[in-house]
Amino acid sequence: MRNEYAEQALRLYKDRDSGGIRMEASVLRGQLKRKPIWTAFITHHVYSNRWMRKIDSRTIQLAELQRYVFKSDYDAELDPDEQNNLSFLNSSDAKEFWSTVLDLGHELE
């Protein structure tokens, strides 16, 4: 992913015991490589077909994403309606994220 802050790696984690799902964005390159920037718990969102929306081939909008930010100078990429936009570096990454979240939702049903 990329925003004004830097290129980021986005990871999805599923807890084996609780089944909880969270997203984590971390620095992709440089001195702070792999240091978390933010995390968000999304277990309750993956069931909803209204939570994710494709804006274009590289951008996915997430409604009501509560990020827990670890970098004080980080500014989330929000649209004018305060929705969260994830801007991927290429369309295949956006597709992979989309399908992985849908798969996780189906696993929890």
Side-chain angles (χ1 to χ4, degrees):
M1 291 186 341
R2 180 170 202 49
N3 71 1
E4 296 172 7
Y5 182 74
E7 287 185 6
Q8 302 169 14
L10 182 64
R11 292 175 179 82
L12 292 167
Y13 295 98
K14 181 178 177 185
D15 185 80
R16 288 186 189 124
D17 295 329
S18 71
I21 301 168
R22 74 177 174 94
M23 297 170 35
E24 180 186 276
S26 60
V27 177
L28 188 60
R29 294 182 174 78
Q31 188 176 14
L32 299 177
K33 183 177 180 178
R34 296 194 56 92
K35 297 292 182 193
I37 299 169
W38 60 265
T39 196
F41 297 91
I42 62 169
T43 308
H44 57 288
H45 290 302
V46 297
Y47 298 109
S48 173
N49 60 355
R50 289 185 248 151
W51 181 61
M52 290 193 305
R53 186 169 78 110
K54 293 179 184 177
I55 301 299
D56 58 41
S57 66
R58 294 185 310 118
T59 308
I60 295 176
Q61 185 178 77
L62 304 176
E64 301 175 15
L65 183 68
Q66 174 62 51
R67 298 181 203 220
Y68 296 91
V69 179
F70 305 115
K71 290 277 299 157
S72 61
D73 59 346
Y74 177 76
D75 191 22
E77 190 173 340
L78 302 175
D79 73 3
D81 294 327
E82 299 291 311
Q83 298 296 320
N84 295 272
N85 293 327
L86 302 179
S87 299
F88 292 87
L89 295 176
N90 57 60
S91 59
S92 63
D93 288 344
K95 276 184 189 178
E96 184 67 25
F97 174 82
W98 184 272
S99 65
T100 300
V101 170
L102 291 179
D103 289 346
L104 288 168
H106 292 305
E107 285 179 17
L108 295 174
E109 291 180 336

